[in-house]
């Protein structure tokens, strides 16, 4: 095997093994930052040795063994320091050396989940949670994360270093939270995964409309979570939502790279495989009983679109009802705006415009380009073209996405 | 990226011999691992080619052929569709599968950006329509 091929093989092994490796080591040293460094040490050892020795038959076990040896070294060194510090006079009883290696084999099995909850701990900023999650759970390099978010590599590196320091300084325990805390902490985990997805799905800055690699990463994290927390309906809800939204990725971009709105999309380009996975996840969320949470409700809305083979088959009344429910449990101006759109489709533009005008009066969405964009659309439908044009121009001046701006200006000229 | 992983047929699979319980167990575990890793999108085993059909094309003529088909090694016994970061990741996964013999082939699925100039007729049509609209307004 050539050096380049070995390197590629190591990268692939890292992709598959790194999260569990970091988790096992972090559980043992009770520190995510140190766990990740130990895993990196194991990776470096592989990069040094495998080109000579070849890739071992069980590369994951090899990396774990190396990481564990390093962990034992680190802990022994710490222990020696602690003892020296303790008291010189206290005698050490011979043969009482703790069996660190045996302790290390005593894995509890939920270390991956503990890693998820620690990387997404609310003590960290959102940006830090996102970067750390992609790093320790996605196995992405600092450079890959930086490129995905269009920021300098040093920025991401610093975010990760600070995040590790914060976790250590605030004494965040490496564990799966229990009881009431679980729900609060789970919300933070789901938020991080959805942030990653949305960064890829609706790029907030730059020329590209979407960055599919980030979507794929988020989809993978969502599926992993669904496997780790099968009893949590919102975990399935989020997985369903992302699969269903991602199923439209190909259809959302026109030949010139411009965005294509949902109802104008060529549905034959929707990804039936992802739709199937999304509908199955939604069914799992529903099967767990109780009323649907915000992610599952949004997934149910996306499912209404996915099930309609033609735009005119869309069950808008059901979508309007789902938005009513969403506005009850997770009220936000954006949800209200979408609710207005759904009511327009179900019951006519007058009703939609009424809801939108309430939002304009509310002012909490001033500065959000979609509000004038939707209002312009409704006015155009009601034949009030001059007012519509002003709204599209306003929307164009507010968006940060260049392609979206072009689309809005085109509508203003219509 | 997406890959299709093709499990080639063997004399046993073509003879309709079901895998042993042990192999089925191990395959179940492997599939479970793929699901837990968020890699598995789809996958199934295929009946032997004796239950299959082929449709041969020649101009407007269509000829239906009944299985079984010869060339056993070129036939398929099963497939997966995986989402992976690279073909190398797929190779690493395949290496972990419980197969004891035979060949498994990995083929990347076309992505949008692979098409380049070769756009579908629908896209070309929309493109043309869009250009016409823009021209109308100019």
């Amino acid at each position: 095997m050539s050096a380049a091929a070995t390197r590629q093989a190591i990268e692939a092994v890292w992709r598959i093994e790194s999260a569990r490796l970091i988790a096992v080591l972090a559980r043992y040293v009770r520190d995510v930052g140190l766990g990740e460094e130990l895993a990196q040490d194991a990776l470096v050892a592989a990069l040094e040795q495998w080109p000579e020795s070849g890739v071992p038959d069980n590369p994951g076990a090899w990396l774990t063994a190396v990481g564990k040896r390093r962990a034992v070294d680190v802990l022994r060194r710490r222990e020696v320091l602690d003892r020296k510090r303790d008291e010189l006079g206290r005698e050490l009883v011979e043969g009482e050396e703790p069996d660190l290696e045996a302790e290390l084999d005593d894995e509890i099995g939920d270390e991956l989940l503990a890693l998820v909850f620690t990387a997404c701990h609310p003590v960290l900023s959102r940006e830090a949670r996102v970067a750390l999650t992609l790093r320790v759970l996605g196995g992405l390099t600092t450079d890959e994360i930086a490129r995905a978010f269009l920021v300098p590599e040093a920025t991401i590196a610093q975010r990760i270093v600070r995040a590790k320091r914060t976790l250590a300084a605030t004494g965040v325990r490496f564990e799966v939270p229990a009881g009431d805390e679980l729900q609060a902490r789970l919300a933070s985990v789901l938020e991080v995964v959805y942030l990653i997805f949305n960064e890829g799905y609706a790029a907030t800055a730059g020329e590209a409309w979407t960055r599919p690699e980030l979507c794929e990463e988020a989809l993978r994290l969502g599926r992993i979570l669904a496997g780790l927390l099968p009893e949590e309906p919102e975990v399935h809800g989020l997985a369903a939502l992302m699969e269903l939204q991602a199923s439209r990725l190909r259809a959302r971009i026109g030949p010139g790279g411009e965005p294509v709105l949902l109802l104008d999309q060529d549905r034959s380009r929707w990804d039936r495989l992802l739709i199937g996975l999304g509908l199955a996840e939604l069914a799992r969320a529903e099967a767990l009983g109780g009323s649907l949470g915000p992610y599952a409700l949004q997934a149910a809305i996306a499912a209404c679109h996915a099930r309609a083979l033609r735009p005119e088959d869309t069950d808008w009344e059901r979508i309007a009802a789902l938005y009513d429910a969403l506005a009850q449990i997770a009220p936000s101006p954006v949800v209200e705006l979408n609710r207005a759109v759904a009511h327009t489709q179900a019951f006519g533009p007058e009703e939609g415009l009424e809801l939108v005008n309430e939002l304009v009066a509310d002012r909490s969405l001033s500065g959000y380009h979609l509000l004038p964009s939707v209002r312009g659309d409704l006015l155009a439908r009601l034949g009030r073209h001059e007012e519509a044009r002003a709204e599209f121009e306003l929307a164009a001046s507010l968006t940060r996405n260049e392609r979206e701006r072009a689309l809005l200006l085109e509508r203003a000229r219509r | 990226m997406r890959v299709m992983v093709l499990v080639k047929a063997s004399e046993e699979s073509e003879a309709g011999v079901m895998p042993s319980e042990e192999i089925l167990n191990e395959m179940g575990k492997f599939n479970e691992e793929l699901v837990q890793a968020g890699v598995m999108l789809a996958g199934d085993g295929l009946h032997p080619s004796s239950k299959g059909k082929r449709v041969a094309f020649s101009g407007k003529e269509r000829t239906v052929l009944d299985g079984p088909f010869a060339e056993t090694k070129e036939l398929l016994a099963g497939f997966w569709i995986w989402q992976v970061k690279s073909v190398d990741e797929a190779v690493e996964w395949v290496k972990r599968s419980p197969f004891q013999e035979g060949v498994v082939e990995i083929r990347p699925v076309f992505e949008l950006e692979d098409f380049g100039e070769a756009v579908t007729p629908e896209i070309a049509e929309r493109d043309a329509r869009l250009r016409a609209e823009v021209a109308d307004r100019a």
Side-chain angles (χ1 to χ4, degrees), chain A residues 94-321:
Chain A
E94 235 174 282
E96 255 195 36
E97 184 99 338
D99 189 353
L100 291 174
E101 264 150 291
E103 226 177 281
L104 199 45
D105 286 331
D106 183 26
E107 286 161 24
I108 301 169
D110 62 355
E111 58 276 331
L112 201 53
L113 204 46
L115 185 63
V116 172
F117 279 106
T118 310
C120 298
H121 199 285
V123 77
L124 303 173
S125 72
R126 272 186 193 171
E127 286 177 334
R129 277 181 260 163
V130 165
L132 194 60
T133 298
L134 286 172
R135 170 81 167 189
V136 299
L137 285 160
L140 266 59
T141 64
T142 314
D143 175 50
E144 285 172 325
I145 301 168
R147 268 187 282 130
F149 285 90
L150 312 175
V151 297
E153 190 181 347
T155 309
I156 294 293
Q158 208 172 24
R159 253 178 226 169
I160 291 171
V161 169
R162 280 208 201 118
K164 287 179 188 170
R165 250 186 245 149
T166 306
L167 287 174
T170 50
V172 166
R173 291 168 66 95
F174 187 79
E175 63 185 14
V176 180
D180 290 347
E181 207 200 334
L182 178 78
Q183 289 309 318
R185 296 273 301 275
L186 183 58
S188 173
V189 171
L190 300 180
E191 184 193 16
V192 168
V193 175
Y194 199 41
L195 273 173
I196 295 169
F197 182 81
N198 272 321
E199 184 63 30
Y201 194 68
T204 50
E207 279 192 33
W209 175 247
T210 60
R211 290 201 286 284
E213 324 80 57
L214 275 180
C215 289
E216 288 200 354
E217 206 53 54
L219 285 171
R220 183 166 162 265
L221 289 171
R223 293 178 198 135
I224 292 172
L225 280 179
L228 290 172
L229 292 162
E231 302 299 318
E232 294 294 336
E234 276 292 83
V235 174
H236 295 295
L238 175 62
L241 176 60
M242 293 192 299
E243 303 278 13
L244 291 169
Q245 288 186 326
S247 74
R248 303 199 289 258
L249 262 175
R250 284 186 297 199
R252 284 177 87 225
I253 306 164
E258 77 288 355
V260 181
L261 299 174
L262 177 66
L263 294 179
D264 299 331
Q265 288 172 10
D266 173 358
R267 295 182 181 219
S268 71
R269 300 183 61 74
W270 287 2
D271 190 324
R272 309 312 303 186
L273 195 53
L274 294 187
I275 288 176
L277 292 172
L279 293 178
E281 283 293 347
L282 179 59
R284 276 179 210 120
E286 288 169 342
L288 287 165
S291 53
L292 295 183
Y295 289 114
L297 275 175
Q298 292 174 76
I301 292 164
C304 286
H305 293 298
R307 288 193 189 102
L309 294 179
R310 298 171 307 167
E312 55 268 36
D313 298 336
T314 312
D315 187 351
W316 285 107
E317 286 185 29
R318 177 162 166 74
I319 292 176

Side-chain angles (χ1 to χ4, degrees), chain A residues 367-376 388-401 404-409 412:
Chain A
Y368 185 50
H369 67 277
L370 280 181
L371 180 58
S373 161
V374 167
R375 191 156 188 271
R389 195 171 60 142
E391 292 291 326
F392 285 129
E393 280 168 359
L394 174 61
S397 72
L398 290 173
T399 180
R400 284 168 60 202
N401 187 295
E404 200 169 22
R405 181 176 305 131
L407 186 82
L408 286 163
L409 288 174

Side-chain angles (χ1 to χ4, degrees), chain A residues 48-95:
Chain A
E48 283 167 2
Q49 295 175 35
W50 293 4
E52 291 278 319
S53 65
V55 178
D57 285 344
N58 190 338
W62 192 98
L63 288 169
T64 310
V66 172
K68 280 179 175 182
R69 269 203 299 278
R70 300 275 160 110
V72 169
D73 289 346
V74 169
L75 289 186
R76 286 228 168 96
R77 242 179 286 140
R78 273 191 188 171
E79 203 174 309
V80 169
L81 280 175
D82 285 349
R83 272 187 223 163
K84 277 183 188 159
R85 220 180 295 139
D86 252 15
E87 189 57 50
L88 281 167
R90 206 182 73 191
E91 270 188 43
L92 286 170
V93 185
E94 235 174 282

Side-chain angles (χ1 to χ4, degrees), chain B residues 28-112:
Chain B
K29 268 190 228 155
F30 179 61
N31 279 326
E32 184 65 24
E33 218 183 311
L34 291 169
V35 170
Q36 298 285 333
V39 165
M40 165 94 102
L41 299 182
D44 270 310
L46 304 177
H47 278 290
S49 71
S50 56
K51 296 198 178 174
K53 304 262 191 193
R54 279 179 177 176
V55 181
F57 292 80
S58 173
K60 292 201 165 165
E61 202 180 313
R62 278 101 178 90
T63 315
V64 178
L65 305 162
D66 292 325
F69 308 114
E71 72 278 345
T72 299
K73 282 183 178 165
E74 299 303 317
L75 298 173
L76 296 176
F79 72 94
W80 281 289
I81 296 176
W82 293 346
Q83 182 199 304
V84 287
K85 201 174 161 192
S86 61
V87 174
D88 297 310
E89 186 189 344
V91 169
E92 281 308 313
W93 281 113
V94 168
K95 283 197 209 157
R96 287 155 203 239
S97 68
F99 295 113
Q100 297 295 316
E101 55 184 10
V103 172
V104 175
E105 185 174 314
I106 301 163
R107 302 275 297 273
V109 173
F110 269 120
E111 313 268 335
L112 196 60

Side-chain angles (χ1 to χ4, degrees), chain A residues 288-363:
Chain A
L288 287 165
S291 53
L292 295 183
Y295 289 114
L297 275 175
Q298 292 174 76
I301 292 164
C304 286
H305 293 298
R307 288 193 189 102
L309 294 179
R310 298 171 307 167
E312 55 268 36
D313 298 336
T314 312
D315 187 351
W316 285 107
E317 286 185 29
R318 177 162 166 74
I319 292 176
L322 288 165
Y323 269 118
D324 291 346
L326 191 59
Q328 290 287 317
I329 59 165
S332 86
V334 178
V335 168
E336 289 297 338
L337 185 59
N338 283 314
R339 190 175 151 237
V341 173
H343 278 259
T344 302
Q345 296 286 356
F347 312 112
E350 289 90 354
E351 187 151 334
L353 189 60
E354 212 166 289
L355 290 170
V356 167
N357 287 341
E358 282 171 30
L359 278 170
V360 174
D362 181 18
R363 299 199 61 80

